[in-house]
Amino acid sequence: MRVAELLELPVLHGSRVVAGARGLDARIRWVHVVDLPDPLPWIDRGMLMLSTGIAWPRRDEELAELVRRLAEHGVAALGLAVPHYFSRFPDAMRVAADEVGLPLIEIPWEIPFVRITETVHQAILREQWQELERAEQLHRELMRAAARTRSLDRLVRTLGELLGRSITVEEPDGTLLAYYQRGPYEDAARQATIESGRAPDWLQEGLAARGYLPPQGTQPYRVPSIPELGLRERVVCPIWLHGELVGLVWIIEGDEPLSGLDLRAAEHAALVFALLFAQQRELAQLEARLGYAFLTTLLEGRFSGSPQELERARALGYDPARGYRVAVIALGEPPLTVESFQRREQVALRVRRTLRQLGSAPLVATLHDQVIALVERDEHLAALWHELAPCGLTAVAGRAYAGPEGVRRSYSEARTLLEYVDRPGLYRYEDLVLERVLAGDSEARQAFVALWLGPLEQARHGDRLIETLLGWVRARFSVNAVAEQLAVHPNTVRYRLEQAGALLGRDLTDPDTQFELQLLVRLLAPEARAGAALTTADGSGQPTGTAGAQQRVPH
């Protein structure tokens, strides 16, 4: 108990602190009665020393020195029975006690020391018993939560509620895995971590520069308040698995430090989290092997479409009727070393986890220095790149197609893009078509024509839309001129152009768009078609008609 709490015990009624009040928060571990001329060999840190003063010196300088020596040895408080051998604490002892912060307590002579020691020891033992009971409760609740759920979020919430503290669990690189927030955000660092899904670089760098990251051992350690980083006091519990640091538990301390019991509970929770990580790793490895084998089957054209394979595909989350992009993340170095192999596997693990969080099938494979993934929606591709962008990687993605053949075609498109990109970033097939056309890529010419005319050909009265669009371009973007050529009202031309722009998702008045349209007309010209095999296919590879030229473009 604290010295201040000692004075609240009924057995010490009438006692009073006469000096050293700034030490009232000191903890009392035991009580001992010492009435010897040299008490120092008989005392220990955290002790409440009781004395009648019978053996104390009588000179002021010796009494003051006694107080200083007791404080140096860690005595929590000094109690003197008065009035008898001393009517009160001498002034010299009081002055010295105020200097060193050692509480001096005057105890009425009629209170037996044996009653004080018995009462205080019972209170301390009772508190220790309560700590043991709370430790058992914490252990029981954590184990019950671990048995009920495999969710890290649920376990973190359980620990946060037991400790009454806000908590985050992060990967060693700062990626947020789970958190429990108790009330408003405690500081700017925590808010930035939760809102962005990872600890900001400036926070990671600031903690590393001060020696708090990475952890140097397995035991919990404290991080003090760092105002320049927007950081309040924290306790960090490393999560180790087979000698590898796999995560960090961050517990906000705030104004009230965690007790030793709380620290043991947090350390135990880190062990539970490590066991959960081990289980999740095994499941992820099994899922990765199944997904790798299935995706490889698709990419290599070995998917037969049999009922058994279709059932397996649906079990893994793949639906042949949906359109998928194939994304290829290139690391830029073959996995010839342990470090590069581990880096490739870490990127693959991050891709799987991100797709899983997005509710998409984590179908991922690895090949040489590449991580290959099926991505169903464009927003998923953007979210995936948001996760990978800080890694300095290059990612390319083919167009979205349905069916196993569509997966192979998208993969082929993605691989083609790798020949044209030489810097980190995300590149979609349709984003680089124009550059490749200008570079003389004949396959890109086919894709460019398909991108412009394919959506119009599939629309109702698409031949009219194509005829109007191409005529408008050839007429130098004059509505009246093309209306005269087609023998229609100018408003009809405007209506058709609005429809075409909506179907293409492009602003036809934009100078860049008009440049591409002029290039499209040049590619459709007879001399251009004679030099390259162009097609306006919509993805099947078969030629289709273009009303603007009033003839089929040769395959």
Side-chain angles (χ1 to χ4, degrees):
M1 64 171 62
R2 295 184 300 114
V3 176
E5 296 168 346
L6 170 76
L7 298 171
E8 298 173 1
L9 297 175
V11 70
L12 285 172
H13 179 70
S15 302
R16 64 194 186 100
V17 177
V18 297
R22 64 186 175 91
L24 290 177
D25 284 334
R27 296 278 177 174
I28 297 175
R29 296 173 47 249
W30 206 246
V31 183
H32 195 35
V33 180
V34 183
D35 263 330
L36 297 172
D38 183 12
L40 299 182
W42 307 94
I43 60 176
D44 200 356
R45 184 169 297 277
M47 178 182 295
L48 168 62
M49 175 179 158
L50 301 179
S51 179
T52 63
I54 188 174
W56 287 2
R58 293 301 186 267
R59 295 174 57 187
D60 286 348
E61 56 270 22
E62 292 178 342
L63 290 171
E65 181 64 16
L66 174 62
V67 170
R68 286 191 285 268
R69 297 292 299 279
L70 292 176
E72 290 174 359
H73 280 69
V75 170
L78 175 61
L80 173 66
V82 295
H84 198 73
Y85 298 107
F86 285 87
S87 60
R88 64 185 186 88
F89 272 106
D91 292 340
M93 297 186 76
R94 296 189 184 200
V95 172
D98 284 332
E99 291 175 354
V100 298
L102 176 65
L104 302 183
I105 306 173
E106 292 182 347
I107 304 171
W109 180 265
E110 57 270 18
I111 301 177
F113 282 174
V114 65
R115 286 184 55 201
I116 297 175
T117 57
E118 179 184 15
T119 302
V120 174
H121 289 165
Q122 285 178 348
I124 292 174
L125 290 172
R126 182 166 54 250
E127 182 174 341
Q128 291 177 347
W129 175 254
Q130 290 172 349
E131 279 210 3
L132 289 174
E133 284 188 326
R134 176 160 168 75
E136 176 64 22
Q137 177 196 7
L138 291 171
H139 174 79
R140 188 168 52 248
E141 291 296 329
L142 282 172
M143 295 307 296
R144 183 179 294 121
R148 279 198 310 260
T149 179
R150 295 178 181 175
S151 168
L152 182 61
D153 292 287
R154 293 289 299 276
L155 289 176
V156 171
R157 171 175 289 275
T158 298
L159 178 63
E161 291 174 347
L162 288 172
L163 299 181
R165 308 295 176 110
S166 296
I167 296 174
T168 59
V169 178
E170 302 170 15
E171 289 188 344
D173 66 356
T175 301
L176 181 65
L177 297 176
Y179 73 93
Y180 169 72
Q181 182 60 39
R182 187 172 180 265
Y185 290 123
E186 288 80 359
D187 55 39
R190 179 172 177 82
Q191 182 175 358
T193 298
I194 292 177
E195 291 181 351
S196 65
R198 63 181 298 111
D201 291 340
W202 51 264
L203 177 59
Q204 295 274 85
E205 293 167 0
L207 290 171
R210 291 166 174 80
Y212 296 114
L213 288 178
Q216 302 302 313
T218 61
Q219 299 299 314
Y221 60 95
R222 280 188 165 88
V223 176
S225 175
I226 309 177
E228 55 268 31
L229 293 180
L231 194 81
R232 295 192 66 183
E233 298 84 350
R234 281 161 167 70
V235 168
V236 185
C237 296
I239 306 174
W240 294 89
L241 182 62
H242 304 308
E244 177 189 357
L245 180 67
V246 296
L248 297 169
V249 183
W250 296 80
I251 306 173
I252 306 295
E253 274 199 305
D255 298 328
E256 185 177 353
L258 291 173
S259 67
L261 174 62
D262 292 336
L263 289 175
R264 289 195 297 273
E267 192 173 2
H268 179 68
L271 177 60
V272 173
F273 294 158
L275 295 175
L276 180 63
F277 283 9
Q279 183 185 51
Q280 289 180 343
R281 276 193 174 186
E282 291 182 4
L283 293 174
Q285 289 172 357
L286 175 60
E287 180 184 63
R289 287 195 295 269
L290 293 173
Y292 174 88
F294 176 73
L295 182 53
T296 302
T297 299
L298 285 177
L299 298 178
E300 295 178 353
R302 294 185 285 108
F303 185 81
S304 65
S306 65
Q308 294 82 359
E309 286 199 335
L310 287 173
E311 182 178 355
R312 176 188 172 204
R314 293 190 178 93
L316 292 172
Y318 172 72
D319 184 353
R322 297 178 182 173
Y324 294 88
R325 287 181 184 264
V326 174
V328 178
I329 299 99
L331 278 67
E333 55 178 350
L336 300 178
T337 65
V338 174
E339 291 76 12
S340 57
F341 176 81
Q342 289 178 342
R343 181 170 181 246
R344 187 189 71 177
E345 294 307 305
Q346 289 172 355
V347 171
L349 179 63
R350 182 172 291 186
V351 171
R352 290 189 193 96
R353 184 178 64 231
T354 302
L355 291 175
R356 194 181 298 110
Q357 291 173 347
L358 294 169
S360 185
L363 296 175
V364 180
T366 55
L367 179 66
H368 305 308
D369 65 336
Q370 300 173 358
V371 176
I372 307 165
L374 284 191
V375 183
E376 184 177 352
R377 299 165 61 178
D378 285 346
E379 52 266 36
H380 290 179
L381 183 63
L384 187 61
W385 179 245
H386 176 75
E387 178 69 19
L388 297 176
C391 302
L393 303 173
T394 299
V396 294
R399 287 175 290 180
Y401 300 103
E405 287 301 320
V407 171
R408 293 188 64 194
R409 178 166 186 173
S410 183
Y411 180 46
S412 176
E413 292 179 350
R415 286 188 301 171
T416 300
L417 292 185
L418 287 174
E419 303 173 7
Y420 289 87
V421 297
D422 57 358
R423 59 190 183 279
L426 171 63
Y427 304 94
R428 299 172 180 83
Y429 183 84
E430 53 271 32
D431 297 337
L432 292 180
V433 168
L434 180 59
E435 293 182 20
R436 292 166 54 215
V437 168
L438 297 176
D441 187 332
S442 60
E443 191 273 337
R445 293 182 178 185
Q446 299 176 23
F448 183 78
V449 173
L451 284 171
W452 274 105
L453 301 187
L456 303 182
E457 290 175 339
Q458 297 173 25
R460 186 167 178 262
H461 302 308
D463 55 344
R464 297 179 185 175
L465 297 179
I466 293 174
E467 180 184 36
T468 303
L469 178 63
L470 297 180
W472 179 60
V473 177
R474 293 190 182 101
R476 300 182 181 273
F477 307 105
S478 169
V479 171
N480 292 331
V482 73
E484 183 178 347
Q485 292 174 9
L486 299 178
V488 296
H489 195 278
N491 286 342
T492 302
V493 173
R494 294 188 182 94
Y495 174 73
R496 291 177 183 177
L497 292 176
E498 288 178 5
Q499 280 189 303
L503 290 169
L504 294 168
R506 302 290 295 268
D507 178 9
L508 299 185
T509 63
D510 180 72
D512 290 337
T513 300
Q514 294 186 353
F515 167 75
E516 293 186 34
L517 286 171
Q518 289 175 314
L519 179 60
L520 173 66
V521 169
R522 294 296 300 270
L523 292 176
L524 290 173
E527 60 272 18
R529 297 201 306 272
L534 297 179
T535 180
T536 59
D538 62 358
S540 64
Q542 300 299 319
T544 56
T546 57
Q550 292 298 318
Q551 56 183 320
R552 287 190 178 276
V553 178
H555 185 42

